């Protein structure tokens, strides 16, 4: 019965979705803007786009002008961030709006046909009600109303921008960038941004500093070869220490304690998951009996589904961890691996993955290396 109910509700949801799409398409053909958020530089009044009465229209014009002058997406984003221009998310009052412009936001503005005065809607659509994946709609099937509102950019400049963008895309096509040894392991101790590898420095610098400049964060740089030397020396030292019975005993006790805590968390997760499933079944029965409406059903299940999926992912993570580890085996395996790595003269990606959890770099260049078997601050400026 559960499967039958689910199929029935999916079919009804699909019909509702089709009716909503038809209504929105009708509004679009009448020249009304059917979205909830107007393009950056515009405001929405009675279904029509009008120019905003702030600096955002001028910012749009500057973005097009800077791009045609040769600046890239990220360079334009850095300029706007440095000048304190409000981001699109800040303009609409989004709660989690970021402070900095992103290159992706610049690209969206440069490719938005609304800025020439045309109302172009239905550019994307969802595959079906059970998927959030969106696909592009061919231009001939899009709903286009020419000269529907005041233009910010001339058609000539907009077309030149698209041609220039296509040309740069072909020119800049290159093989996938090499992933360096400490990529996804090095983080800035102040802003928490990942460090980026810079070739001419032969090391890593804070991503925020490299992208936005010193007014956002400082360098937090570290040389790759220095870091490799320190980590290899520390791994050898840790392998020698593991030969002592006292240290081995402490590691075994900590491993056993962590395993017991994991089992308790797994039991708690399983209990919560079962409770959510029962609640969901009850809500479906209420919908089937007509006690609640479909809208009420969606509101009641939306947050519950998100929590359920999150809890199931957490449970899978604990189960995988428990399956691959036992109290004694993990210690023995770690000791064998460390002895094996003692024979190597270089730090390999496999070693980094097995032993290192996270490396935090301070403003003065000192680092705090968090190992998966211990945590020590090793490299100082």
């Amino acid at each position: 019965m559960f499967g039958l109910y689910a199929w029935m509700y999916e079919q009804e949801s699909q019909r509702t979705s089709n009716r909503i799409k038809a209504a929105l398409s009708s509004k679009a053909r009448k020249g009304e803007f059917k979205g909830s958020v107007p393009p950056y530089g515009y405001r929405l009044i009675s279904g029509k786009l009008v120019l905003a009465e702030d600096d955002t229209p001028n910012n749009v014009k500057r973005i097009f002008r800077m791009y045609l002058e040769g600046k890239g997406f990220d360079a334009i984003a850095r300029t706007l961030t440095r000048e304190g221009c409000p981001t699109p998310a800040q303009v609409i009052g989004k709660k989690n709006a970021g402070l900095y412009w992103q290159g992706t936001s610049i690209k969206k503005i440069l490719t938005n046909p609304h800025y020439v005065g045309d109302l172009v809607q239905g550019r994307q659509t969802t595959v079906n009600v059970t998927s959030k994946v969106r696909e592009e709609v061919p231009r001939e099937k899009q709903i286009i109303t020419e000269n529907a509102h005041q233009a910010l950019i001339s058609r000539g400049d907009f077309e030149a921008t698209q041609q220039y963008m296509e040309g740069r895309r072909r020119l800049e096509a290159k093989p996938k960038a090499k992933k360096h040894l400490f990529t996804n392991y090095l983080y800035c101790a102040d802003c928490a941004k990942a460090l980026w590898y810079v070739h001419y420095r032969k090391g890593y610098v804070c991503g925020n500093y490299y992208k936005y400049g010193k007014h956002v964060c400082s360098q937090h740089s570290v040389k790759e070869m220095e870091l490799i030397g320190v980590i290899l020396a520390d791994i050898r030292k840790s392998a020698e220490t593991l030969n002592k019975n006292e240290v081995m005993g402490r590691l075994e006790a900590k491993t056993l304690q962590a395993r017991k805590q994991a089992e308790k968390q797994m039991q708690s997760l399983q209990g919560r998951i079962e409770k959510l499933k029962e609640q969901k079944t009850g809500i479906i029965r209420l919908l089937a009996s007509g006690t609640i409406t479909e809208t009420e059903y969606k509101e009641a299940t939306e947050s519950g589904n998100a929590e359920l999926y999150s809890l199931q992912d957490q449970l899978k993570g604990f189960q995988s961890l428990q399956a691959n580890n036992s109290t004694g085996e993990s210690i023995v395996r770690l000791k064998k691996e460390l002895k094996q790595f003692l024979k190597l003269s270089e730090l390999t990606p496999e070693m980094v993955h097995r032993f290192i959890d996270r490396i935090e770099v301070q403003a003065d260049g000192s680092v705090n290396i968090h190992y998966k078997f211990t945590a020590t601050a090793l490299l100082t400026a």
Side-chain angles (χ1 to χ4, degrees):
M1 290 299 293
F2 179 84
L4 178 60
Y5 285 149
W7 179 81
M8 290 170 59
Y9 303 147
E10 181 180 327
Q11 295 302 307
E12 180 58 30
S13 296
Q14 186 64 60
R15 287 191 290 270
T16 302
S17 175
N18 292 338
R19 289 195 293 268
I20 293 173
K21 286 181 179 179
L24 293 176
S25 296
S26 178
K27 290 180 63 177
R29 291 188 178 89
K30 294 177 182 178
E32 296 182 28
F33 183 78
K34 65 184 181 69
S36 57
V37 180
Y40 185 79
Y42 287 99
R43 295 292 179 269
L44 187 60
I45 299 178
S46 300
K48 298 291 184 181
L49 294 178
V50 297
L51 294 184
E53 297 178 353
D54 51 25
D55 289 334
T56 55
N58 291 329
N59 291 341
V60 173
K61 294 178 181 179
R62 286 187 60 207
I63 289 171
F64 276 86
R65 185 168 64 250
M66 285 190 286
Y67 187 77
L68 290 175
E69 288 173 353
K71 285 191 174 183
F73 303 144
D74 290 336
I76 297 173
R78 285 195 295 270
T79 299
L80 297 178
T81 298
R82 186 169 57 250
E83 295 177 359
C85 297
T87 65
Q90 287 175 323
V91 170
I92 64 175
K94 198 172 182 179
K95 289 183 179 180
N96 60 343
L99 298 176
Y100 313 128
W101 279 82
Q102 303 294 329
T104 53
S105 299
I106 300 299
K107 183 178 180 181
K108 286 181 180 179
I109 290 175
L110 290 171
T111 55
N112 193 334
H114 286 118
Y115 292 118
V116 299
D118 294 344
L119 194 61
V120 183
Q121 302 185 96
R123 289 185 289 170
Q124 290 183 332
T125 185
T126 53
V127 179
N128 53 57
V129 294
T130 62
S131 173
K132 293 183 178 180
V133 177
R134 302 185 68 84
E135 60 181 12
E136 296 292 329
V137 175
R139 184 169 178 80
E140 61 271 14
K141 294 185 179 180
Q142 296 174 9
I143 303 172
I144 303 175
T145 305
E146 295 185 352
N147 301 317
H149 52 266
Q150 186 175 347
L152 272 174
I153 305 299
S154 69
R155 294 184 185 276
D157 287 346
F158 185 80
E159 291 174 1
T161 299
Q162 308 315 304
Q163 293 174 2
Y164 185 38
M165 193 179 300
E166 181 61 29
R168 290 181 68 167
R169 188 181 297 114
R170 289 196 300 267
L171 184 64
E172 294 173 357
K174 54 186 178 182
K176 188 176 181 180
K178 176 185 176 182
K179 183 177 180 180
H180 292 275
L181 188 60
F182 297 109
T183 299
N184 298 329
Y185 291 95
L186 281 168
Y187 293 90
C188 175
D190 292 331
C191 70
K193 178 74 175 180
L195 269 67
W196 295 357
Y197 185 85
V198 180
H199 286 278
Y200 72 88
R201 289 176 177 265
K202 296 182 179 180
Y204 303 81
V205 298
C206 171
N208 263 340
Y209 169 82
Y210 193 78
K211 190 171 183 178
Y212 299 112
K214 61 183 180 181
H215 71 288
V216 173
C217 197
S218 56
Q219 294 187 39
H220 294 74
S221 60
V222 61
K223 297 289 186 182
E224 186 173 73
M225 292 307 299
E226 293 179 5
L227 197 54
I228 289 175
V230 170
I231 292 173
L232 280 174
D234 204 51
I235 289 176
R236 295 189 186 102
K237 182 179 178 181
S238 296
E240 294 170 359
T241 304
L242 282 176
N243 290 323
K244 299 180 180 179
N245 293 331
E246 181 182 355
V247 176
M248 289 294 293
R250 288 203 303 267
L251 286 173
E252 289 176 357
K254 288 184 178 180
T255 303
L256 179 60
Q257 182 182 5
R259 187 177 183 85
K260 289 181 177 179
Q261 291 177 346
E263 289 174 351
K264 289 182 179 179
Q265 288 179 301
M266 288 172 60
Q267 291 176 358
S268 177
L269 288 171
Q270 287 173 335
R272 180 58 182 162
I273 288 172
E274 291 302 320
K275 186 175 181 180
L276 286 174
K277 287 182 177 179
E278 291 176 3
Q279 292 176 352
K280 188 173 182 180
T281 302
I283 295 171
I284 290 176
R285 288 172 179 167
L286 291 175
L287 178 62
S289 64
T291 306
I292 62 174
T293 64
E294 185 174 341
T295 300
E296 291 171 332
Y297 166 76
K298 288 182 178 180
E299 292 176 352
T301 57
E302 186 173 351
S303 60
N305 285 338
E307 183 181 0
L308 180 61
Y309 298 148
S310 176
L311 292 175
Q312 288 174 335
D313 288 340
Q314 293 179 47
L315 182 60
K316 288 179 182 178
F318 277 114
Q319 291 172 337
S320 176
L321 186 64
Q322 293 291 75
N324 295 328
N325 290 280
S326 66
T327 305
E329 291 176 358
S330 60
I331 301 298
V332 174
R333 184 172 63 252
L334 177 60
K335 187 175 179 179
K336 289 181 178 179
E337 289 176 349
L338 286 172
K339 286 184 177 180
Q340 179 184 359
F341 288 141
L342 280 174
K343 303 175 183 179
L344 301 177
S345 60
E346 64 175 342
L347 187 65
T348 65
E350 181 187 7
M351 294 168 68
V352 173
H353 174 71
R354 286 174 181 263
F355 293 139
I356 296 176
D357 183 42
R358 179 186 180 93
I359 304 175
E360 296 173 352
V361 183
Q362 306 289 337
D364 61 1
S366 61
V367 300
N368 187 21
I369 305 173
H370 297 267
Y371 290 101
K372 292 181 179 179
F373 52 87
T374 184
T376 54
L378 298 171
L379 180 60
T380 58

